[in-house]
Amino acid sequence: MRFFSDNAAPVHPKVLEALAAANGQDTAYDGDALSGRLNAVFSDLFETEVEALWVATGTAANSLALAAMCQPHQGVICHREAHIEQDEAGAPGFFTGGAKLMLLDGEGAKLSPESVEACCRAIRDDVHQVQPAAVSITNASEYGLVYRPDEVAGLAEVCKARGLGLHMDGARFANAVATLGCSPAELTWKAGVDAFSFGFVKNGGMSAEALIFFDREMAADTHYRRKRAGHLQSKGRFLAAQILAMLEDDLWLENAGVANAGAQIIAEAAGDRLLYPVEANEIFIRLSADEAEKLRGAGFDFYDWGEGQARLVTSWNQSAENIRPLAEAIASL
């Protein structure tokens, strides 16, 4: 009955099993056998050599990625409703030593090549103005819309021409891949992404996310930044164990498929209440205060999203049977 956030979902049993299996003696920090497998496993997944680091939160993954791309006097172009702007308490500025977030508009919290180019064009090459060094996009976006490979490539083309790094916040990357049916490579480095935050916690993990660098030279200083930021955990094998369990047999993709399918059940019931197309596991609908109270009175939990709007999020553990009561309740309003 809870549709407030996929962060509230339980940990997948296979992740718990992997944590128990990792509960033996091994080298501390990231020198253990499990952490040592990450580069190879992610390189296989992405079909290219990568540098993979575990961290405990998506905020850390995003901020460390941006710190690798951006000097303190520079800026990061992002959507004004991006998670790094709205929900990370200034962490990107803290990790980068003061870099500015340069905010743009865009339908469904997505950026376009045209908006990024216009932003860059309006900035003088002048010491009085902050110069952009990177672009950050979220896939799926804060409104559950996915960037397709050609859309990412269009942004990457502008970044390359302007000498900017391209970061992708993939807190719900699994949901985007499950929707699109493309390979992880096609949606990231093949489309021009330099650094990538791969989310697992929303999708069945417990306390581990991955930071992936497709430019391995860019990753070199991040090992030091991770330590300085307090994210080099002494028993890192437990973070690596979670990630490896999620990657094994494409559990990450299977879980996302279940969550996406649940979102489609609600979307069909919501009909013209939908504020945006449902392309991942988030549903945004028009809902009056009285209607919201009625749904909550029936035991459904969700997030108010401004006046007369609500956000519902489905999770990996919610079957069609779990979700149909909410769909029917919405349809009957």
Side-chain angles (χ1 to χ4, degrees), residues 58-330:
T59 295
N62 290 338
S63 300
L64 286 168
L66 296 175
M69 297 179 173
C70 196
Q71 295 296 317
H73 62 278
Q74 295 177 316
V76 178
I77 296 171
C78 66
H79 195 278
R80 70 176 58 258
E81 294 188 70
H83 201 272
I84 59 173
E85 164 63 12
Q86 295 287 340
D87 295 287
E88 294 187 345
F94 178 77
F95 277 66
T96 60
K100 178 182 179 180
L101 296 183
M102 310 172 83
L103 310 179
L104 302 184
D105 294 311
E107 182 69 17
K110 291 173 67 176
L111 298 182
S112 69
E114 293 77 17
S115 65
V116 173
E117 175 59 31
C119 174
C120 294
R121 199 183 310 118
I123 298 170
R124 302 188 309 273
D125 184 9
D126 186 318
V127 295
H128 297 285
Q129 294 203 307
V130 173
Q131 304 298 308
V135 171
S136 179
I137 60 175
T138 310
N139 203 12
S141 81
E142 278 68 30
Y143 285 98
L145 301 183
V146 302
Y147 284 92
R148 288 152 176 80
D150 63 312
E151 293 177 296
V152 179
L155 287 162
E157 186 176 347
V158 175
C159 290
K160 185 176 181 181
R162 292 283 182 174
L164 310 177
L166 180 57
H167 164 251
M168 180 181 286
D169 175 353
R172 294 186 175 93
F173 177 76
N175 304 95
V177 174
T179 291
L180 295 172
C182 62
S183 71
E186 289 170 328
L187 199 51
T188 53
W189 70 270
K190 286 187 176 180
V193 173
D194 298 301
F196 169 56
S197 307
F198 198 153
F200 291 97
V201 172
K202 296 180 188 300
N203 196 32
M206 184 175 76
S207 59
E209 312 278 43
L211 172 53
I212 310 297
F213 286 100
F214 301 108
D215 179 344
R216 299 191 72 181
E217 290 185 11
M218 188 183 289
D221 289 343
T222 303
H223 290 273
Y224 295 92
R225 290 192 185 98
R226 179 176 65 169
K227 171 62 178 177
R228 187 171 181 263
H231 274 270
L232 182 61
Q233 296 200 23
S234 60
K235 295 182 180 179
R237 62 188 178 275
F238 291 102
L239 281 77
Q242 296 175 57
I243 293 169
L244 291 170
M246 291 291 293
L247 294 176
E248 188 173 357
D249 298 326
D250 286 337
L251 179 61
W252 65 280
L253 196 54
E254 177 186 336
N255 285 358
V258 172
N260 286 6
Q264 289 301 318
I265 293 172
I266 297 173
E268 185 176 347
D272 59 8
R273 290 180 180 273
L274 290 177
L275 294 165
Y276 297 96
V278 176
E279 297 181 344
N281 67 321
E282 294 180 284
I283 310 99
F284 295 85
I285 62 174
R286 296 179 183 87
L287 204 64
S288 72
D290 288 344
E291 290 170 334
E293 184 178 355
K294 183 176 181 179
L295 289 178
R296 289 193 172 103
F300 300 108
D301 178 29
F302 52 89
Y303 189 83
D304 290 326
W305 197 267
E307 187 175 353
Q309 301 179 11
R311 185 192 75 166
L312 305 132
V313 187
T314 53
S315 304
W316 69 268
N317 63 308
Q318 292 174 320
S319 66
E321 182 179 346
N322 299 140
I323 288 167
R324 284 201 181 94
L326 173 59
E328 292 168 0
I330 292 172

